Amino acid sequence: MASPYSDFKGKPRLPKFATPKRYDIRLKPDLDSCIFNGIVSIDVDVVSSTKYLVLNAADLNVDSSSVSFKPKSSSQELRASGVGLIEEDELLIVEFAEELPLGIGVLNTSFQGTLNDQMKGFYRSVYEINGEKKNMAVTQFEPADARRCFPCWDEPAAKATFKITLDVPSNLIALSNMPVIEEKKEGDLKTVYFEESPIMSTYLVAVVVGLFDFVESSTSDGIKVRCYCQVGKSDQGKFALEVAVKTLELYKKYFDVPYALPKLDMIAIPDFAAGAMENYGLVTYRENALLYDEKHSAAANKQRVAIVVAHELAHQWFGNLVTMEWWTHLWLNEGFATWVSYLAADAIFPEWNIWTQFLDQTTDGLRLDGLSESHAIEVEINHASEIDEIFDAISYRKGASVIRMLQSYIGADTFQRALACYIKKYACSNAKTEDLWAVLEEVSGEPVKELMNSWTQQKGYPVVSVRVKDEKLDLEQSHFLLSGSPSDSQWIVPITLCCGSYDNRYSYLLKEKSGSLGIKDAAYVKLNVDQTGFYRVKYDEELGAKLRHAIESGQLSATDRFGVLDDLFALCTSSQQSLINLLTLIASFREETEYTVLSNLINISYKVMRIVADATPELVDNLRKFFINLFEYPALKLGWDSKSGESHLDATLRGELLTVLAELGHENTLNEAIRRFDAFCADRDSPLLPPDTRKVV
Ligand code: BES
Ligand code: ZN
């Protein structure tokens, strides 16, 4: 016999006959027994005739006798005639004896759940205070776990307002998306009432209950910003707090829309599944992504904190104010926040040269997307269980990279103007990928949709082969695959090039398989200027030799040196170039001192050593000498001890360079590391072992 609810099973989305408008949620977590009780009243708009209300719930004990619906138009409350759970689809089905009247009504339910240890839904995290272990209660709802805390229409497009009330021990701090309006104390318990939120998606609702310290500041337009940390560690929150205030001010200008809530809290959670989560007005972080300790953290940690904060705050606009219509467009959230976090970090810390490090995003995206098992940026999502998989380098890194490519194609100013239009147009609402393209197309007058579809709707990317023929530059694209196997895919490639100097630039939209450009004989030709494109370039022998010369004579920017190297390495690993070619190119980096380039050279050296050790072990010793020779020069220049006023990148580079030299068995480095380790053992406060060189030692 078919189950009574078979109509609702196995569907990717909830049926649309009723939509939620407002949630009134009351939760009472018990931090000792790890159980929570809850009541929710949901204002629902019934838009087509139905006997059923179908929403999400999972791992909750819903009290069937508590389920009722009170239409606004009638004085009578309707009891549910049946309450069913479909476990595999995480659905709660409420059935009534008769069809519900159209219009608004209130659905009431009470339920019970466990504060689980799975770091999703409503969960417990453990912290220590005065040597004693305590539980705190925390939520993590993205992508689809709000349903583990209260029954709800748990889809990003089902936006509603949220009024939250918490019953908690009176000595604890209770936080949610909005500010507290009132606290009522009764013995050991207190009831904390929060302001009602603007309309938002369920995955952004958040609650935290525990004991914390905080530091506080505010933006120039009066938004209160706090950074909550473990008791006694609030000093470590100061850096993130300062970044948050500056970033909020910056995004307000960039999007030309103010931050929508009256406050922003950020909090470090000891047990946390992701790096950070952009809950509206209450951003949660893993401790190492929020806290920065001047004395014990390395320079790279500082940068990481800034990037993570800038990323999560970008979501307050891009994601929270304007939300993806469905998870297929998740990349828009994550790719965009990733890209714009570099824009913010660059504005706040120009001395970091952060765009040179954006290359790591692109390189990682290219690496994963070069596999035949890759997937397109936009993916169909047919079940909640499929969503987790797409939080990957394709959504984040390829996503961020193609956004950067588009920005550089249509120009920074036009791009910003279009984004501001998009945010205003879809504020408090939902958008799809094509909605963003439409606004960008309208503002820029460029064929954005056609161009971008070729990058987001098929997997992979092209390698553009360039050769000189009869005073012309011939270009030809083909699908770059690590396995080398062919495919017919083609892209619309925004090609940029510079010839002999950065003042001599060209752009060209490669729409077909091949094309050609007339250019005068030049000292060198570099395609993909500044590496803003998501493609690889393969130069013919003549152009390759000219580029090596340009590198040796210091004519190329660090970013472009990085690009030439990374492309050749990728071509080498996919057997489209020889190892000899790669080593010849690497030799032209003898005098390299830039962090980004050296960092990539270091990574490449590890990989080459591993491949050679496997394939031709007799070459290993010579290769070791070759790389030691290459890295000795910049390492000697930097030395072991930081210099006062040196750049943040030099500090990071020191650790990486000394580590690779140690791994390669460089004697001086090994001896010095041992000397410093001994000094540290004799005196834990020895100045010989600062954070940046600790790992190598
Ligand atoms: N929205 C994500 C957090 C998330 C990730 C939720 C996966 C659910 C599943 C957040 O904005 C994010 O992207 N966090 C990153 C850090 C960021 C700086 C790349 C993370 O957690 O690594
Ligand atoms: Zn994100």
Side-chain angles (χ1 to χ4, degrees):
M1 201 181 81
S3 111
Y5 304 134
S6 55
D7 275 2
F8 307 121
K9 277 190 185 165
K11 301 267 162 57
R13 309 270 290 248
L14 291 169
K16 300 221 181 321
F17 33 66
T19 53
K21 296 292 167 200
R22 175 180 189 266
Y23 290 81
D24 189 336
I25 305 168
R26 185 157 181 165
L27 295 170
K28 184 176 177 184
D30 182 328
L31 298 177
D32 297 320
S33 69
C34 292
I35 280 181
F36 64 93
N37 285 291
I39 311 177
V40 64
S41 301
I42 314 173
D43 292 7
V44 175
D45 189 10
V46 180
V47 292
S48 57
S49 26
T50 176
K51 276 169 45 177
Y52 298 97
L53 290 175
V54 181
L55 56 161
N56 296 111
D59 301 338
L60 293 176
N61 277 324
V62 174
D63 171 10
S64 311
S65 67
S66 73
V67 184
S68 69
F69 185 75
K70 158 91 182 41
K72 215 172 177 177
S73 55
S74 109
S75 56
Q76 225 188 340
E77 191 168 64
L78 310 173
R79 296 260 136 218
S81 58
V83 175
L85 278 165
I86 301 182
E87 232 168 81
E88 62 275 27
D89 293 325
E90 305 181 338
L91 293 178
L92 172 67
I93 304 202
V94 184
E95 187 178 359
F96 296 91
E98 283 159 44
E99 290 202 341
L100 302 173
L102 298 189
I104 302 282
V106 184
L107 174 69
N108 296 300
T109 317
S110 44
F111 51 89
Q112 194 180 63
T114 309
L115 289 176
N116 69 70
D117 58 358
Q118 309 289 305
M119 295 187 282
K120 64 182 187 182
F122 202 10
Y123 72 95
R124 60 177 187 265
S125 172
V126 180
Y127 62 113
E128 235 177 73
I129 191 155
N130 304 326
E132 203 187 328
K133 285 202 158 85
K134 298 253 183 208
N135 287 336
M136 64 168 90
V138 190
T139 55
Q140 166 61 43
F141 289 168
E142 193 184 16
D145 293 316
R147 62 190 68 176
R148 282 168 222 285
C149 182
F150 54 93
C152 57
W153 275 257
D154 200 10
E155 293 185 355
K159 285 190 169 190
T161 65
F162 290 83
K163 169 101 186 62
I164 291 175
T165 306
L166 299 175
D167 294 299
V168 298
S170 49
N171 62 326
L172 299 185
I173 292 182
L175 301 170
S176 185
N177 307 84
M178 296 297 286
V180 173
I181 27 176
E182 202 191 347
E183 279 197 17
K184 280 188 198 155
K185 227 178 134 174
E186 234 188 87
D188 288 346
L189 280 185
K190 64 179 174 186
T191 305
V192 184
Y193 301 85
F194 295 91
E195 272 177 45
E196 184 164 334
S197 77
I199 75 161
M200 57 188 276
S201 306
T202 46
Y203 79 91
L204 295 166
V205 172
V207 163
V208 179
V209 181
L211 258 191
F212 313 98
D213 276 350
F214 64 85
V215 282
E216 182 181 58
S217 179
S218 60
T219 64
S220 53
D221 51 348
I223 295 178
K224 255 200 191 171
V225 186
R226 284 184 178 180
C227 184
Y228 286 85
C229 321
Q230 269 187 54
V231 173
K233 286 196 184 170
S234 62
D235 271 357
Q236 296 181 24
K238 286 182 177 160
F239 175 67
L241 181 69
E242 187 191 326
V243 173
V245 169
K246 288 185 179 154
T247 310
L248 283 178
E249 291 172 349
L250 184 113
Y251 289 150
K252 179 185 171 191
K253 279 204 198 110
Y254 191 78
F255 297 118
D256 195 27
V257 172
Y259 173 65
L261 305 186
K263 63 97 176 168
L264 171 75
D265 292 327
M266 309 197 289
I267 184 163
I269 308 290
D271 304 285
F272 197 74
M277 174 64 212
E278 71 267 25
N279 312 301
Y280 218 173
L282 175 54
V283 183
T284 44
Y285 295 82
R286 188 182 277 239
E287 290 190 323
N288 67 5
L290 185 69
L291 306 183
Y292 175 74
D293 178 351
E294 227 27 271
K295 209 165 148 210
H296 296 105
S297 312
N301 299 118
K302 189 169 189 173
Q303 190 175 302
R304 163 94 180 140
V305 169
I307 285 286
V308 180
V309 170
H311 176 112
E312 303 311 333
L313 298 198
H315 281 313
Q316 306 300 309
W317 283 259
F318 217 98
N320 301 8
L321 183 62
V322 178
T323 311
M324 68 224 145
E325 199 276 332
W326 181 241
W327 297 105
T328 298
H329 311 284
L330 169 80
W331 83 275
L332 206 54
N333 256 13
E334 297 305 349
F336 185 85
T338 300
W339 171 76
V340 89
S341 67
Y342 282 77
L343 190 104
D346 187 48
I348 301 172
F349 303 103
E351 68 280 10
W352 289 357
N353 274 325
I354 197 89
W355 282 113
T356 60
Q357 289 169 73
F358 185 84
L359 295 174
D360 297 340
Q361 301 282 338
T362 309
T363 309
D364 249 28
L366 289 168
R367 193 166 46 80
L368 187 61
D369 206 24
L371 304 175
S372 51
E373 297 82 0
S374 184
H375 63 86
I377 283 183
E378 293 183 65
V379 275
E380 227 180 87
I381 296 289
N382 288 315
H383 195 274
S385 61
E386 297 171 9
I387 311 170
D388 270 336
E389 288 175 32
I390 55 171
F391 285 87
D392 66 357
I394 297 299
S395 298
Y396 279 77
R397 297 173 173 228
K398 183 181 183 182
S401 303
V402 300
I403 286 170
R404 180 168 197 224
M405 175 164 73
L406 178 63
Q407 187 226 19
S408 106
Y409 177 68
I410 67 180
D413 291 344
T414 313
F415 193 74
Q416 179 182 352
R417 257 190 302 121
L419 281 177
C421 287
Y422 167 82
I423 294 285
K424 285 176 198 150
K425 183 165 178 190
Y426 293 99
C428 301
S429 167
N430 295 83
K432 298 180 174 172
T433 305
E434 52 268 35
D435 296 325
L436 177 60
W437 299 159
V439 176
L440 278 156
E441 186 153 323
E442 197 182 319
V443 175
S444 70
E446 295 286 340
V448 175
K449 190 169 176 199
E450 189 195 359
L451 187 145
M452 292 309 285
N453 281 350
S454 81
W455 295 93
T456 63
Q457 296 184 347
Q458 62 180 344
K459 67 181 179 188
Y461 56 87
V463 47
V464 176
S465 304
V466 212
R467 34 181 213 146
V468 189
K469 205 176 142 204
D470 308 330
E471 298 187 1
K472 280 202 323 231
L473 215 53
D474 277 358
L475 308 175
E476 187 177 311
Q477 61 164 306
S478 58
H479 187 173
F480 178 89
L481 278 173
L482 200 61
S483 59
S485 46
S487 100
D488 295 334
S489 306
Q490 271 184 39
W491 289 262
I492 300 182
V493 195
I495 303 258
T496 54
L497 58 151
C498 65
C499 304
S501 111
Y502 282 95
D503 296 330
N504 202 12
R505 289 172 185 242
Y506 301 86
S507 24
Y508 177 79
L509 204 56
L510 181 62
K511 286 182 149 181
E512 311 293 333
K513 174 116 184 108
S514 56
S516 79
L517 272 156
I519 58 148
K520 296 222 178 73
D521 191 29
Y524 67 85
V525 175
K526 166 74 180 51
L527 269 79
N528 197 6
V529 186
D530 296 332
Q531 296 300 118
T532 53
F534 194 74
Y535 55 90
R536 301 246 180 234
V537 184
K538 181 179 176 185
Y539 298 94
D540 72 5
E541 229 168 85
E542 182 188 336
L543 291 169
K546 284 179 165 179
L547 274 173
R548 279 200 303 275
H549 182 256
I551 289 170
E552 278 164 4
S553 54
Q555 296 181 69
L556 289 192
S557 71
T559 312
D560 285 325
R561 296 200 294 277
F562 177 107
V564 172
L565 172 68
D566 205 57
D567 283 354
L568 189 61
F569 176 65
L571 289 164
C572 192
T573 49
S574 69
S575 313
Q576 301 182 54
Q577 285 279 4
S578 67
L579 181 61
I580 291 297
N581 263 354
L582 177 66
L583 295 177
T584 314
L585 175 68
I586 289 178
S588 55
F589 287 90
R590 275 185 308 272
E591 291 180 15
E592 186 59 61
T593 55
E594 280 286 331
Y595 169 73
T596 357
V597 184
L598 278 166
S599 179
N600 199 20
L601 270 170
I602 291 168
N603 285 337
I604 288 175
S605 74
Y606 286 126
K607 289 177 191 159
V608 170
M609 289 296 291
R610 221 174 305 143
I611 294 167
V612 170
D614 244 15
T616 37
E618 65 278 11
L619 283 184
V620 166
D621 215 42
N622 279 332
L623 205 56
R624 237 171 24 87
K625 285 184 193 139
F626 172 81
F627 282 123
I628 287 178
N629 203 7
L630 184 72
F631 297 132
E632 228 178 353
Y633 170 78
L636 274 176
K637 262 189 107 169
L638 272 183
W640 274 79
D641 297 304
S642 59
K643 304 184 180 65
S644 78
E646 78 177 355
S647 81
H648 154 91
L649 289 182
D650 279 351
T652 310
L653 178 58
R654 174 174 297 113
E656 291 183 25
L657 266 177
L658 294 172
T659 305
V660 72
L661 282 169
E663 297 252 8
L664 290 166
H666 181 238
E667 248 187 58
N668 290 349
T669 305
L670 292 175
N671 292 338
E672 183 61 14
I674 290 167
R675 183 177 83 86
R676 286 174 184 254
F677 182 67
D678 290 342
F680 176 75
C681 290
D683 168 12
R684 292 290 159 125
D685 288 324
S686 164
L688 289 180
L689 208 49
D692 287 311
T693 42
R694 233 164 251 182
K695 181 176 160 203
V696 54
V697 167

